[in-house]
Amino acid sequence: MAGAIQKTIEEKETRAQRAERLKREKNPWECLAEIRRFAREGYDSIPPEWLGTYFRWWGIYTQGDGNGAVGGNGREGRAVPRFMVRIRVPNGLLFSHQLRAVADLADRFARGQADITVRQNIQFHWVEIEALPELLESLERAGLSTLAACGDDARNITGCPLAGVDADEIADASPLAQAATRMLVGDRDFYNLPRKFKVAITGCRVWCSYPEINDVALTALPRRRRGREEVGFSLRVGGGLSSRPHLAERLDAFVAWHQALPVVRAASEIFRDCDVLRERRERARLKFLFLDHGWTPARFLEELEDRLGFRLDPAEPEEAPADIYRDHVGIQPQKQPGYVTVGASVLRGRLLAGQMRQAAELADRFASGELRTTIMQNLVIVNARRERAEELARELESAGLPVAASAFHRGAIACTGTEFCKLAITETKAFSRWLVDQLEERLPGFDQQLKLHVTGCPNSCGQHWIADIGIEGKKIKINGRLEDAYYFCLGGAVGQLAAISRPVGYRCPAAEVPDAVERLLRGYLAGRTPGENLRQFFARHSDEQLRASLAGREGLPAVAREAAAGPAPRSLEA
């Protein structure tokens, strides 16, 4: 009788109510023994609540069948008995022995490849349940973890990958990012948040960790006080993309260095304790306090200070960074005399096991054995001797990791797409490579900064909302068959020109995207004013003008963006 009542209750639950019930019933971080049991007993022994919910707290998702959302139920495609496993890399800091360990595990369990994500993580695909315990234990021995790489918790804490070596940084904030990770990850006080929670802490001047799109972001800021200079932070809250993008709000607060961790903890507690955010899964991120519930920066600061038990100093004047690359590709001088960083462009973020081993070996041979992952899905070797930098660059090039990459190669970002994701509408990884090849062939001399982001669904894991050219995956019917297509959003940016990209009303089949981008960029080259970059060019043209440039003809009616009919069950946003 009790079982029947429980079944009736569960049948009447909303998706949000079910998620909240499951989280109350179990802290997945305390249940590694269950994962070991599933590995012994096989895939069929795994209950639905683990497949759909609990695995995510260990950085694990079920893998799609290659068709994405098409053919599934409830806007989610079919799964295969394999898993995506995401490795958390706080601040993007890696040692060569760790990258070798990742390469070895990729060969053994993930068909010899891994992807760098837009949160500096590394993720595997094709992992079988029987391999999970050994994979997790091997990562732990290497000093790596998958804990909280997914789930309703604090995701990988990002920061400047050049922390500690950047010649122009305000401060090395990576110790704070590492300390914040230890504070939030694995602590039962923070396993049950309303939704994912993204934190960025950076000491660089170019804000390469994109504070504008994080739930909580600290950006280093110097000030003079009592005759001496000290470094603290600006504080932003409520940023996020997905289907309703929102740039983070700056609070009127200067966060002293010793206040940084208490501030991050207090902001996490505010989020955790906002029950109104637990009512609808698709509106559970911190940004919805501002978008839907009338919160202002002043109210958030008041709540924050109440939690802290002290008042923060007023904000100091701040200048957002110029509209420049934040990808760290190329050879750059370090603050340490005679040393440089050498950043390689990793197209689509995809690395083969052999490339990982080569990069680790080169880091040992030419540098100090330290590497960094970036949020633009690239890989950087730090502490290389200046006189050997060109030789190192050539070695990376021969490994398929160019240091002197084209604007298209450098600027391309791609989400997972239908290859592995159950929510995606279009294939993105192979498409992005083909698109870059096409544009390099058609526009070989194009040298302007360009962010070309490909996302396979409205969730914006490919961050198309902050791209110069962001394309969002759709399906259209051609000759009776559903085919991949892309909808164009233009003019997104961070920094001084921060803006959400504009849906301009143009959609075309995937095969026609190179033609459209070529027409758009040729129009820019022919019509720009002296010194005008892409963001400025797009800003002074109407949607109609940009749509005509993409289509190659005027008078084309706008196509509605056709956002998702309802919320996706879970975003795989890295």
Side-chain angles (χ1 to χ4, degrees):
M1 181 69 176
I5 294 173
Q6 178 66 23
K7 183 177 180 182
T8 301
I9 291 172
E10 292 177 11
E11 287 174 349
K12 293 181 178 180
E13 287 177 319
T14 67
R15 191 163 60 90
Q17 289 169 341
R18 181 176 186 274
E20 293 303 316
R21 174 177 58 80
L22 290 174
K23 287 188 291 182
R24 288 192 302 270
E25 291 174 354
K26 182 175 294 186
N27 175 358
W29 290 340
E30 298 174 348
C31 300
L32 180 58
E34 293 190 51
I35 297 178
R36 293 194 176 108
R37 177 171 61 82
F38 302 147
R40 292 192 303 270
E41 299 177 1
Y43 187 87
D44 290 341
S45 70
I46 306 171
E49 61 267 24
W50 268 94
L51 289 172
T53 301
Y54 294 138
F55 267 134
R56 289 180 285 147
W57 273 252
W58 285 89
I60 299 165
Y61 279 108
T62 53
Q63 181 173 307
D65 64 359
N67 294 310
V70 176
N73 295 314
R75 301 174 307 281
E76 181 172 337
R78 298 186 182 94
V80 296
R82 302 287 189 276
F83 296 95
M84 180 274 282
V85 179
R86 182 178 295 152
I87 305 166
R88 185 167 40 80
V89 187
N91 211 109
L93 307 180
L94 275 176
F95 292 103
S96 56
H97 75 272
Q98 293 175 317
L99 190 57
R100 285 193 190 90
V102 172
D104 291 344
L105 292 169
D107 266 340
R108 294 177 62 197
F109 303 126
R111 300 193 181 183
Q113 68 182 33
D115 292 344
I116 302 173
T117 78
V118 293
R119 288 199 70 79
Q120 299 178 289
N121 301 294
I122 298 175
Q123 63 190 35
F124 294 135
H125 301 279
W126 299 110
V127 179
E128 298 181 345
I129 184 61
E130 292 79 4
L132 276 177
E134 185 175 355
L135 185 149
L136 296 175
E137 290 161 11
S138 296
L139 288 171
E140 185 177 15
R141 287 194 296 271
L144 296 169
S145 174
T146 67
L147 210 64
C150 309
D152 295 354
D153 46 30
R155 299 294 184 89
N156 191 44
I157 296 180
T158 59
C160 178
L162 303 190
V165 302
D166 177 14
D168 196 38
E169 74 179 356
I170 298 170
D172 176 3
S174 62
L176 289 176
Q178 299 279 17
T181 297
R182 292 189 295 270
M183 178 177 69
L184 297 176
V185 174
D187 186 331
R188 65 174 295 108
D189 285 345
F190 297 105
Y191 91 89
N192 182 4
L193 302 181
R195 209 67 158 83
K196 68 185 74 171
F197 186 64
K198 298 185 176 182
V199 178
I201 304 174
T202 185
C204 71
R205 296 182 188 275
V206 298
W207 299 0
C208 63
S209 57
Y210 292 171
E212 300 96 335
I213 60 171
N214 278 265
D215 293 288
V216 174
L218 295 172
T219 52
L221 185 66
R223 72 172 179 180
R224 291 200 66 81
R225 188 173 178 83
R226 299 187 182 94
R228 64 181 182 88
E229 186 171 280
E230 65 171 311
V231 173
F233 297 91
S234 284
L235 174 60
R236 286 174 171 78
V237 298
L241 297 179
S242 193
S243 57
R244 285 184 69 187
H246 182 254
L247 296 178
E249 305 276 357
R250 189 187 183 203
L251 304 190
D252 183 15
F254 179 87
V255 179
W257 193 275
H258 69 278
Q259 297 169 334
L261 292 179
V263 163
V264 171
R265 185 181 184 92
S268 305
E269 291 171 348
I270 290 172
F271 181 49
R272 180 195 63 198
D273 297 340
C274 276
D275 289 340
V276 69
L277 294 178
R278 297 180 183 269
E279 295 173 359
R280 296 180 65 179
R281 291 288 289 171
E282 72 275 12
R283 296 184 182 178
R285 293 288 301 278
L286 189 67
K287 66 183 179 182
F288 287 101
L289 291 179
F290 300 95
L291 289 172
D292 289 348
H293 299 292
W295 283 49
T296 64
R299 178 178 174 185
F300 195 98
L301 179 59
E302 180 181 356
E303 296 278 350
L304 184 71
E305 291 177 332
D306 286 346
R307 294 265 178 174
L308 291 169
F310 58 84
R311 294 289 176 259
L312 297 169
D313 288 347
E316 295 289 328
E318 175 186 69
E319 184 176 351
D323 192 27
I324 58 175
Y325 271 128
R326 304 183 183 189
D327 63 2
H328 304 298
V329 170
I331 299 172
Q332 303 295 333
Q334 294 186 185
K335 63 169 63 174
Q336 295 82 7
Y339 290 86
V340 297
T341 65
V342 181
S345 178
V346 183
L347 185 58
R348 310 166 297 161
R350 178 148 296 173
L351 288 166
L352 302 179
Q355 291 177 309
M356 289 186 270
R357 290 193 186 92
Q358 286 176 283
E361 189 272 331
L362 293 172
D364 284 337
R365 180 150 57 96
F366 287 92
S368 61
E370 295 176 67
L371 305 98
R372 313 285 174 88
T373 55
T374 84
I375 64 166
M376 288 195 69
Q377 302 178 305
N378 296 318
L379 191 65
V380 183
I381 293 175
V382 301
N383 299 322
R385 293 291 305 180
R386 185 188 303 274
E387 63 269 18
R388 302 195 68 191
E390 293 294 341
E391 183 183 358
L392 171 56
R394 288 193 295 273
E395 293 273 6
L396 286 167
E397 177 86 35
S398 69
L401 301 171
V403 173
S406 73
F408 305 114
H409 200 287
R410 285 181 70 168
I413 293 288
C415 71
T416 297
T418 56
E419 182 182 14
F420 300 120
C421 177
K422 304 189 301 295
L423 309 182
I425 298 169
T426 58
E427 193 284 322
T428 58
K429 293 290 190 182
F431 171 79
S432 296
R433 179 165 194 151
W434 171 73
L435 176 59
V436 167
D437 288 344
Q438 287 287 310
L439 294 174
E440 286 178 336
E441 181 179 330
R442 297 169 185 227
L443 296 163
F446 191 84
D447 61 355
Q448 300 297 304
Q449 296 174 30
L450 172 71
K451 292 182 68 180
L452 178 61
H453 290 209
V454 181
T455 194
C457 78
N459 284 320
S460 192
C461 301
Q463 300 180 339
H464 69 298
W465 289 122
I466 57 168
D468 300 309
I469 302 174
I471 54 176
E472 180 184 311
K474 303 291 180 185
K475 287 288 193 212
I476 58 175
K477 190 165 284 189
I478 301 176
N479 297 326
R481 294 182 54 186
L482 284 175
E483 302 284 354
D484 283 4
Y486 284 95
Y487 187 94
F488 281 75
C489 299
L490 303 179
V494 286
Q496 287 181 359
L497 301 177
I500 298 300
S501 62
R502 295 152 47 195
V504 296
Y506 183 72
R507 181 188 64 195
C508 68
E512 297 177 13
V513 169
D515 296 333
V517 175
E518 180 185 5
R519 286 190 290 263
L520 181 69
L521 295 181
R522 289 193 183 280
Y524 159 68
L525 293 173
R528 61 182 171 175
T529 60
E532 186 176 46
N533 63 28
L534 271 170
R535 274 68 66 205
Q536 294 163 330
F537 179 81
F538 291 156
R540 71 176 176 88
H541 285 79
S542 68
D543 291 354
E544 291 76 16
Q545 290 171 315
L546 295 173
R547 190 162 60 248
S549 183
L550 286 162
R553 59 189 176 90
E554 296 183 354
L556 192 71
V559 175
R561 178 173 155 257
E562 296 176 0
R570 288 176 294 277
S571 169
L572 295 186
E573 194 174 349

